[in-house]
Amino acid sequence: MNHLRLALPVSLALAVTCAVISAAAEKKAPAKKAAPQTPWSFLPLRETPPPKVRNTRWPQTQIDHFLLAKMDKAGVKPAPPADPRTLIRRLHFDLTGLPPTPEEVEAFVRDFSLSHSPTFSPASGAGAKVSRRENESRAITAAVERLLSSPHYGERYARYWLDLARYVDKTGSWLEKTTSAHLYRDWVIKAFNDDMPYDQFVMRQIAADRLIEEAESKVQSPKSNADAAPDKSPASQLSTINSQPSRSDLHALAFLGLAPTYWKELQLPPDLIKGTVADEWEEHVDTLSRTFLGLTLACARCHDHKSDPITAADYYGIAGVFASVRHAEVPTMGDQFWLPVKKARESVAALEKERDELKKKKPAPANLTNQVAVIEQKITTLKTSTPHFNMAMATAVEDAALFVIPASNNKGTVLDFKPGQALDLELMKRGDPNNTGDIVPRRFLSAFPAKDGQPRRFTTGSGRLELAQAIVQEAAPLTARVIVNRIWRHHFGRGIVDTPSEFGVTGDPPSHPELLDDLTARFIKNGWSIKWLHREILLSAAWQQSSLAPDSEKRDPENRLFARMPRHRLDFEAWRDTTLAAAGTLDRSFGGVATLLTSEQNLRRTLYGIVDRHELEPMLRIHDFPDPAAHSASRTETATALQMLFSLNSPFLLAQADALAARLEKEAGPALSDRVTRAHAVLFQRPATAKELAMATRFLTGRETDKKAWSEYAQALLASNETQFVD
């Protein structure tokens, strides 16, 4: 059954992982345990002055000093700078997931090439020379700013985030609360485009409704903050950008509202249903902790964590928050608008039921048609006369404690939600909800105490707001390290910590701990700005290195020193989007309801294709798309026969090959060499080599006017290895 396929793997995998860690720890444990050392990731941030380096001309940002110092120590030299065509292609794919146009490439190369001739800067005074390096830096800086301002930037980074949040458009057939799921995706896109401070980004996905209530109460009582001195520091001003939540932020709650919901056969006794409910809570804790904190808190469901300073009581302190919420669709307008809509929708539902029952009557009434017409007219009147009847609903959660109790006849189970109530859980021995111990008050992790030395208690409603505050306040160093490492990994192909969702003892230690702490501390000082972080990384000499560096490949094959840029393979979304862009068929419109990727009419970015938790589309499945039922910190990269067969036979690629061939004819004219040159400029952002031109000429000579031949040529380029890689 579908629900078993969904429910078992997450819990089973976690149980096996915990058991292995537990067995290994017990096997290695001495007779008397020494006090466990606090993991590096739990410690406060340490700001370190940039180390001194021998080659003072190479560093361009503070990052470079830390990297070059390690390279010097290892006797490795950084790779030479990448050429401008490679840089602009890399920039576009990194920030937007789309290739640059030939015109954008030529403009960048032209700006970059100004550095090869003497230039002067009026800003530096009459006759002041601007160095070649300064000119190159200006060209790159301008390109970075242009791409960060592109709305396609938000689409690119939304997809990364949706992998972590196990986003779906469709879930179990027994659920009806995902009709507005796409609005969460659109909210994430907008948050990245607006450069919403990351601490606010985190908080709104856990407690947007509570933040809105808090903001509205302050508006109604403005005197409460009248005596507070405003904080005019740069960091404070940056962190207050977009800090006032609005009702549109309710869509952020789909991070919780789209969590997997396992099937519960309520004819079964409560003891069995309690296990399924506890598995759901475990999944919620696991996704929350790995996404925001880079920790596997779910291991502590059965016992104190064997490697990290996390106790079973810590786990149940947070699990109690999820025992106090339920999935819900909530209105995005205030009660004065919502209540009339609610009443009208209830009336429409009743009328639709009456109409459907009337149609089922046997024998059918003589005036059935007239009766149905009268009912449908009432339905239409209600819909058209009620303002905001089609108001957007947010896929969200609301506070309600869940009690699993026997049915009244003692045959089966009832899920009894108590709206507005909260539930502190009993500690479950070995994770068994039918073998419980002491009640654990809802609270945060004991490893991150509040100012009073105790873990923050959650006392308001379910505790979601206090949980969110603790994640970005008490645990701020860890939370910030995790997102800094994720962004670094997207740009460099590997993280400073190579286990992006495991910052505990069992994860990999940082290759450059001082760099990670310094970059994280400055990230927080700059208002938790993700765009600031992009700039700091992309303007570094390290990121602008070539991927061709034989010496560092030999000395450091895993590139732990970051002495070169790795060759980036495109993920499926970027490859499909590139195919559409090259063919000239890409629909660049934003947002809205997802559609099937297999539809011939779907020419939008892959981000807007339907993701079904139970029946993933084959196009996604064969191209390493992650399991939407679980948090995914990284993509698996495979090269399979199915992928090649897709390139050879799929209706999608055949249609795009036809479109690309038609584009080449339109833009380059009838000459064979001109079309081939244009094809390489569009697809690879470079001229065709003499060998490539000769091969194309041999294939197409005598068939210059044969549209099928040109489509076959276009398909060969679209399916080529170079199309799969950035550089």
Side-chain angles (χ1 to χ4, degrees), residues 266 317 588 701:
L266 297 183
R588 297 173 184 255
T701 296

Side-chain angles (χ1 to χ4, degrees), residues 521-537:
R522 292 190 293 128
F523 168 67
I524 293 175
K525 282 185 177 179
N526 281 276
W528 299 74
S529 167
I530 299 291
K531 288 190 177 181
W532 174 88
L533 186 57
H534 286 304
R535 294 185 189 98
E536 194 70 8
I537 293 172

Side-chain angles (χ1 to χ4, degrees), residues 277-293:
V277 169
D279 288 346
E280 285 184 351
W281 297 338
E282 179 186 328
E283 191 283 333
H284 303 346
V285 173
D286 181 60
T287 298
L288 176 114
S289 62
R290 290 205 285 162
T291 300
F292 299 122
L293 299 169

Side-chain angles (χ1 to χ4, degrees), residues 349 351-361 375:
L351 287 168
E352 288 175 339
K353 183 179 179 182
E354 180 185 345
R355 177 199 60 195
D356 294 343
E357 289 177 351
L358 186 62
K359 288 180 178 181
K360 293 176 185 177
K361 276 190 175 182
I375 294 173

Side-chain angles (χ1 to χ4, degrees), residues 54-96:
R54 290 194 292 270
N55 181 5
T56 57
R57 291 178 56 81
W58 187 75
Q60 292 185 201
T61 68
Q62 197 159 309
I63 287 169
D64 295 323
H65 291 270
F66 290 96
L67 294 177
L68 188 56
K70 283 248 180 181
M71 294 183 213
D72 288 344
K73 190 175 180 180
V76 174
K77 291 184 178 179
D83 65 85
R85 290 181 186 276
T86 298
L87 279 178
I88 191 61
R89 180 175 165 89
R90 189 188 293 169
L91 269 176
H92 271 258
F93 278 116
D94 263 23
L95 290 179
T96 69

Side-chain angles (χ1 to χ4, degrees), residues 145-461:
E145 292 303 323
R146 174 174 61 84
L147 293 172
L148 285 176
S149 299
S150 166
H152 296 303
Y153 157 75
E155 291 178 317
R156 179 62 162 165
Y157 280 85
R159 182 62 264 173
Y160 290 138
W161 186 262
L162 297 178
D163 283 3
L164 302 174
R166 31 81 171 121
Y167 169 81
V168 291
D169 296 285
K170 293 177 66 177
T171 185
S173 59
W174 63 91
L175 297 172
E176 299 177 357
K177 300 285 190 291
T178 59
T179 54
S180 301
H182 64 281
L183 296 173
Y184 171 65
R185 175 244 291 146
D186 294 348
W187 180 88
V188 174
I189 294 172
K190 186 176 187 302
F192 277 113
N193 278 333
D194 292 347
D195 197 20
M196 180 181 289
Y198 182 68
D199 55 346
Q200 290 291 325
F201 183 70
V202 171
M203 292 179 67
R204 294 182 196 196
Q205 291 180 81
I206 301 171
D209 52 342
R210 291 295 184 180
L211 288 167
I212 292 166
E213 289 173 12
E214 196 175 78
E216 290 176 348
S217 67
K218 286 181 179 178
V219 170
Q220 294 170 2
S221 306
K223 294 183 180 180
S224 59
N225 292 323
D227 298 328
D231 184 354
K232 296 183 179 180
S233 67
S236 172
Q237 292 177 32
L238 282 166
S239 66
T240 56
I241 299 172
N242 296 324
S243 61
Q244 292 302 314
S246 66
R247 287 192 170 268
S248 64
D249 288 313
L250 289 170
H251 297 301
L253 291 173
F255 177 83
L256 302 178
L258 288 175
T261 301
Y262 307 149
W263 174 256
K264 305 168 190 71
E265 179 49 74
L266 297 183
Q267 298 302 314
L268 296 173
D271 287 357
L272 293 177
I273 301 302
K274 284 180 181 178
T276 304
V277 169
D279 288 346
E280 285 184 351
W281 297 338
E282 179 186 328
E283 191 283 333
H284 303 346
V285 173
D286 181 60
T287 298
L288 176 114
S289 62
R290 290 205 285 162
T291 300
F292 299 122
L293 299 169
L295 298 175
T296 51
L297 296 190
C299 282
R301 172 180 170 179
C302 302
H303 50 69
D304 291 349
H305 208 295
K306 296 297 183 181
S307 54
D308 296 332
I310 299 167
T311 65
D314 288 335
Y315 171 85
Y316 288 100
I318 292 178
V321 173
F322 297 107
S324 303
V325 298
R326 67 174 172 185
H327 293 193
E329 279 195 329
V330 300
T332 51
M333 293 185 181
D335 284 350
Q336 70 272 32
F337 301 109
W338 164 241
L339 292 178
V341 171
K342 181 182 179 183
K343 183 178 179 181
R345 287 184 180 181
E346 289 171 349
S347 298
V348 166
L351 287 168
E352 288 175 339
K353 183 179 179 182
E354 180 185 345
R355 177 199 60 195
D356 294 343
E357 289 177 351
L358 186 62
K359 288 180 178 181
K360 293 176 185 177
K361 276 190 175 182
K362 299 293 183 183
N367 60 345
L368 174 62
T369 302
N370 290 337
Q371 290 187 54
V372 169
V374 169
I375 294 173
E376 288 183 342
Q377 180 58 48
K378 290 179 180 178
I379 292 172
T380 301
T381 301
L382 277 168
K383 288 181 176 180
T384 56
S385 64
T386 305
H388 312 293
F389 182 85
N390 294 316
M391 173 192 304
M393 303 294 286
T395 301
V397 293
E398 60 186 11
D399 287 359
L402 172 58
F403 296 88
V404 181
I405 59 176
S408 57
N409 57 3
N410 286 323
K411 292 182 180 179
T413 303
V414 171
L415 301 179
D416 185 18
F417 285 97
K418 301 289 187 183
Q421 292 189 26
L423 178 64
D424 288 331
L425 293 177
E426 296 170 309
L427 192 147
M428 301 174 189
K429 298 176 183 178
R430 292 186 170 274
D432 183 355
N434 298 301
N435 184 11
T436 58
D438 295 335
I439 290 177
V440 181
R442 285 164 294 121
R443 62 171 178 79
F444 196 53
L445 305 177
S446 52
F448 297 100
K451 291 181 180 179
D452 62 1
Q454 298 298 315
R456 185 191 289 240
R457 293 284 297 272
F458 305 153
T459 57
T460 305

